[in-house]
Amino acid sequence: MTQQSVTPRRGWERLLVRAVFVLALPALLVALWWLASDGSTNVFWPPLRTIVKTFPDVWTRERLRSDVWPSLWRLACGYLLAAVVGIALGTLIGSYRRVRAFCEPVLEFLRAVPPPVLVPVIMLFAGIGDSMKIVVIASGCVWPVLLNTVEGVRAVDPVMTETARSYGITGPARLGYLVLPAASPQIFAGLRQALSIGIILMVISEMFAASDGIGFTVVQFQRSFAIPDMWTGILVLGLLGFVLSVVFQLVERRVLGWYHGLRASTRRSR
């Protein structure tokens, strides 16, 4: 058997093993939920078979357009705003020691304030429209991006920094070819943390003052005692988080291909 025929087979075997590891635990949890809730007569704990049967009747194409799409739009705007602000400020603070010393006490104070507490305050200034929800999402997502960017910029190899300086690479060129690429693994770690925080804040902001969105819909189901419908909304949030996580991993693998390749080669050399 040639080397060319062995390599694809090993690739498929690796992919199959990875798929089994990814799907095994969710399948086990769903099976346990199905068995544990089967035959339940508790109004607040309906059988999973009832929830699954109700799902297509609740989440129709019209509801996806009227509730899921607005939530995704707010999440995307808040998340992107937090990413831009966090990376820009993190790069500035991480690059200059005096700026970091000046800003650190204020940053430690602000990041200790839970974003949901700021919702009533933000409502006073931004109203109850989409702008309020976007600001709430951005106010929580910005901190992991900002702090990880600061640490990533601070951790740039001093030898590479001196080499760039000796070759006259300064200003935007140094930022684009040295600082940001070197800090990008840390930046993506912050972006990954911010994604889960953004989903949580998206739901919380829609529970306060909204007329659409997944969080608003779940609360409406709860208030009208449509408990199976409420559980379908929770499933939608879980599925949304899973899909966004997979998409993020694909983007991260593409952008940080050089980094993951370097780690894999280092592992093999050991």
Side-chain angles (χ1 to χ4, degrees):
M1 187 178 295
T2 64
Q3 180 67 25
Q4 293 181 348
S5 62
V6 172
T7 304
R9 180 176 297 180
R10 287 180 178 174
W12 279 107
E13 290 176 353
R14 216 177 295 121
L15 185 63
L16 181 61
V17 171
R18 185 176 179 182
V20 170
F21 273 103
V22 169
L23 298 176
L25 182 58
L28 177 61
L29 293 176
V30 170
L32 291 175
W33 185 6
W34 189 286
L35 295 174
S37 64
D38 194 32
S40 173
T41 57
N42 190 328
V43 177
F44 303 104
W45 179 249
L48 181 55
R49 66 173 75 250
T50 303
I51 300 172
V52 173
K53 185 178 179 180
T54 308
F55 193 97
D57 297 331
V58 175
W59 296 98
T60 60
R61 182 178 300 179
E62 177 61 30
R63 188 177 292 278
L64 291 176
R65 183 167 58 249
S66 62
D67 288 320
V68 177
W69 170 249
S71 295
L72 289 175
W73 169 251
R74 294 161 189 153
L75 175 61
C77 292
Y79 183 77
L80 291 176
L81 177 61
V84 172
V85 173
I87 293 174
L89 288 180
T91 303
L92 176 64
I93 296 171
S95 299
Y96 301 99
R97 185 178 303 174
R98 292 183 178 178
V99 175
R100 185 166 62 252
F102 178 75
C103 295
E104 191 170 13
V106 178
L107 294 179
E108 291 297 330
F109 172 80
L110 291 177
R111 76 163 183 164
V113 179
V117 176
L118 299 176
V119 173
V121 179
I122 295 174
M123 287 174 61
L124 295 176
F125 298 96
I128 60 174
D130 287 347
S131 57
M132 179 272 289
K133 300 169 183 60
I134 292 172
V135 172
V136 169
I137 295 170
S139 66
C141 292
V142 70
W143 298 112
V145 181
L146 172 62
L147 297 176
N148 277 276
T149 302
V150 171
E151 293 304 317
V153 172
R154 290 182 60 188
V156 175
D157 190 350
V159 176
M160 296 179 66
T161 302
E162 290 299 324
T163 303
R165 185 181 292 112
S166 64
Y167 278 96
I169 303 175
T170 58
R174 176 181 176 274
L175 183 66
Y177 290 103
L178 173 61
V179 177
L180 289 180
S184 56
Q186 281 281 90
I187 293 174
F188 268 87
L191 290 172
R192 189 185 304 111
Q193 297 171 17
L195 182 60
S196 59
I197 295 174
I199 296 174
I200 296 171
L201 293 176
M202 175 195 75
V203 177
I204 292 175
S205 64
E206 291 172 349
M207 287 180 173
F208 274 85
S211 58
D212 55 22
I214 304 175
F216 168 79
T217 304
V218 170
V219 170
Q220 291 300 108
F221 288 150
Q222 183 264 337
R223 289 174 178 173
S224 60
F225 289 94
I227 304 302
D229 297 4
M230 181 193 73
W231 278 100
T232 62
I234 296 173
L235 287 181
V236 168
L237 288 172
L239 292 172
L240 177 63
F242 174 75
V243 171
L244 291 179
S245 176
V246 171
V247 172
F248 183 88
Q249 289 180 19
L250 293 175
V251 174
E252 182 186 26
R253 283 281 174 183
R254 179 132 184 122
V255 176
L256 298 182
W258 62 271
Y259 174 72
H260 294 293
L262 181 62
R263 289 186 61 186
S265 62
T266 304
R267 228 179 275 120
R268 284 195 297 267
S269 63
R270 292 177 182 177

